[in-house]
Amino acid sequence: MIEKYKYVNSLDDIFLSHGGMFKGTIKKQFKEFGNAWAEEFNETLNAYVTYVNSDLSEPVRAYVNFCLEAMRLQKQFDDIKDYPKISYSEACSTVYKNYQYMTKVYLPALYLTHFLWRHHYLLKKWIENKFFPLLKEKKTITFCDIGIGTGFYSNKLLSAFKESEGYGFDISDASIDHTKKVLASSGCLNRYNILDKMFTENNEVDFNCFVCIELLEHLEHPEQLIKEIYSQLAHGGVGVISAAVNAPNRDHIYLYRNNDEVRQQILNSGFLVKFEQKFDAYEKGIFTQSVPSSASFIVKKA
Amino acid sequence: MFKEEKLKTLFCTILKIPNNAVNTSTSMETVESWDSLRHMSLIIAIEREFNVDLEDEEIEQMTSYDVIVSILKEQSSD
């Protein structure tokens, strides 16, 4: 049972004692996803407490605050059918360049969502099952992680492919620092280069693989980015594009209402879609009529 | 104005439990359907029905019928 996973069990205890309304979170996920989920989450938490030099109560606090805000916004979204208006520069100043908020709330909360949000965990598994086999066919792997966030997916790629080399693009100092810690703890930092700029400013990296996970909705003109990725990717290169759909957040700017809208932008950019999936956060009607989801695509440049 | 009967109706509608199942021992521990999503549905319905603004800390801790009644009574007496 869950007790044998030390850090997951500890997280469950913290949720039970301080998590209030989220107290059932860990057991619910364990019930749905079982030992494989618990084992990987346990390893992730073990690394986390080492590199942040903290116990797990801080990320729980961050997660609770983050979720409460997201849930309120989702209810509003049901009524107004749109995201709160915010420009990219406003999102930069209030979120990505706000080191305090990023390190105390945003990043620790997001890191936990990879295991605690159903659709995020399903996305992770899908990437491993569908995308990673495509990379095994390649002689060399040089990947770009466009919008590194917590560094979660860069770490997954570098850990799964020991000969790979990665480049991470992000404008947030907090994200860069977080990613460095994650990669240092897994021993992968020496195969990784961080570029403190927008991907669209890239003119130095040749790559045959990329991941762009839940970044598009943070942009005012996401299709421009997809076109830029296409133009820079090597022929025969492959990648993952995932975008949040109907998922309001304080820094979500571009509203995708369904998979079709994301797919159309991908096709307009020239990519072939090899696999496509939609991951829902929960069943319609349980909480809101609108259901946040991840529209996810594995793409190839012919 | 806080009326307990209205609160019970919200509990029944949102948590999908019979009226006689809503009592002082009703809590997240005793009602299987009362998870974090339905909790937030309940909270927002309460805010709208009783015209109150609940703080995040209150929302987190309102995990039993008793506590909710207590907080709402306190708010209505302010």
Side-chain angles (χ1 to χ4, degrees), chain A residues 20-21 61 72 75 79, chain B residues 28 44 47-48 59-60:
Chain A
M21 61 184 275
R61 185 77 255 146
R72 278 202 181 276
K75 275 289 184 189
D79 297 332
Chain B
M28 279 186 99
I44 287 167
E47 287 185 331
R48 290 175 180 176
I59 294 170
E60 283 174 52

Side-chain angles (χ1 to χ4, degrees), chain A:
Chain A
M1 292 307 287
I2 208 164
E3 289 74 20
K4 74 178 182 181
Y5 303 103
K6 179 182 169 187
Y7 293 99
V8 177
N9 195 43
S10 170
L11 198 70
D12 190 35
D13 285 344
I14 296 167
F15 269 110
L16 288 171
S17 56
H18 304 303
M21 61 184 275
F22 294 98
K23 62 178 69 171
T25 300
I26 300 293
K27 290 196 172 64
K28 186 179 172 186
Q29 293 299 92
F30 186 60
K31 188 177 175 185
E32 181 167 5
F33 297 118
N35 288 316
W37 170 86
E39 194 160 332
E40 188 182 0
F41 192 23
N42 200 58
E43 285 172 19
T44 304
L45 293 171
N46 184 9
Y48 186 88
V49 295
T50 307
Y51 64 71
V52 299
N53 194 23
S54 145
D55 66 21
L56 292 169
S57 56
E58 282 188 24
V60 168
R61 185 77 255 146
Y63 178 82
V64 168
N65 290 340
F66 190 79
C67 289
L68 275 171
E69 181 175 304
M71 291 165 103
R72 278 202 181 276
L73 288 171
Q74 198 70 43
K75 275 289 184 189
Q76 278 178 28
F77 182 76
D78 256 15
D79 297 332
I80 61 176
K81 312 277 189 267
D82 206 351
Y83 290 170
K85 294 295 173 208
I86 183 171
S87 68
Y88 180 73
S89 62
E90 287 168 329
C92 282
S93 60
T94 58
V95 181
Y96 319 129
K97 300 286 189 184
N98 181 344
Y99 200 88
Q100 176 78 4
Y101 176 71
M102 288 293 284
T103 53
K104 294 297 179 191
V105 180
Y106 195 89
L107 293 170
L110 274 185
Y111 210 56
L112 290 185
T113 69
H114 290 298
F115 292 91
L116 298 185
W117 283 8
R118 184 176 183 276
H119 58 312
H120 281 190
Y121 183 67
L122 289 173
L123 169 63
K124 183 202 78 73
K125 287 209 309 180
W126 184 73
I127 289 172
E128 288 170 339
N129 292 335
K130 294 286 189 186
F131 182 59
F132 282 15
L134 299 179
L135 302 185
K136 286 178 182 161
E137 299 166 5
K138 297 201 171 294
K139 287 179 186 166
T140 60
I141 298 170
T142 305
F143 73 85
C144 284
D145 187 348
I146 302 158
I148 53 179
T150 62
F152 183 80
Y153 280 102
S154 284
N155 191 38
K156 287 289 167 205
L157 280 162
L158 291 165
S159 299
F161 300 96
K162 300 297 182 191
E163 304 298 318
S164 66
E165 181 184 15
Y167 291 83
F169 290 83
D170 211 292
I171 57 160
S172 166
D173 291 343
S175 276
I176 290 169
D177 289 348
H178 193 276
T179 298
K180 281 180 181 171
K181 287 176 186 171
V182 169
L183 298 183
S185 77
S186 62
C188 295
L189 189 56
N190 61 336
R191 289 184 283 123
Y192 199 68
N193 307 278
I194 291 178
L195 297 150
D196 177 13
K197 59 183 178 185
M198 302 278 284
F199 175 79
T200 48
E201 299 164 27
N202 174 47
N203 53 13
E204 57 194 285
V205 180
D206 295 320
F207 59 101
N208 62 357
C209 164
F210 73 94
V211 288
C212 182
I213 310 292
E214 310 236 328
L215 171 69
L216 298 179
E217 65 276 10
H218 299 262
L219 305 174
E220 290 173 354
H221 305 289
E223 190 170 336
Q224 286 178 8
L225 174 67
I226 304 172
K227 285 179 174 165
E228 191 64 37
I229 297 169
Y230 182 83
S231 74
Q232 293 190 30
L233 180 67
H235 286 284
V238 291
V240 180
I241 296 175
S242 178
V245 171
N246 296 325
N249 209 313
R250 66 164 65 186
D251 59 335
H252 286 186
I253 297 167
Y254 191 96
L255 170 58
Y256 289 107
R257 295 186 186 275
N258 49 54
N259 269 41
D260 297 348
E261 293 180 2
V262 187
R263 187 193 319 108
Q264 194 57 55
Q265 292 186 349
I266 289 171
L267 295 174
N268 290 347
S269 303
F271 280 114
L272 304 172
V273 173
K274 286 185 71 74
F275 301 104
E276 174 180 347
Q277 193 58 264
K278 174 174 176 277
F279 299 105
D280 289 340
Y282 44 81
E283 282 176 46
K284 187 175 182 177
I286 286 183
F287 173 50
T288 46
Q289 285 308 306
S290 62
V291 177
S293 64
S294 295
S296 305
F297 301 83
I298 293 171
V299 299
K300 182 172 183 176
K301 180 174 177 176

Side-chain angles (χ1 to χ4, degrees), chain B residues 1 3 12-16 18 20-21 29 32 34 40-41 45-46 53-54 59-60 62 73-74 78:
Chain B
M1 181 67 183
K3 287 187 178 167
C12 296
T13 307
I14 291 165
L15 301 180
K16 304 199 182 312
N20 61 10
E29 272 81 28
E32 196 179 346
W34 190 348
M40 203 60 190
S41 287
I46 287 169
D53 288 320
L54 297 164
I59 294 170
E60 283 174 52
M62 292 168 83
K73 280 184 176 170
E74 200 175 298
D78 285 346

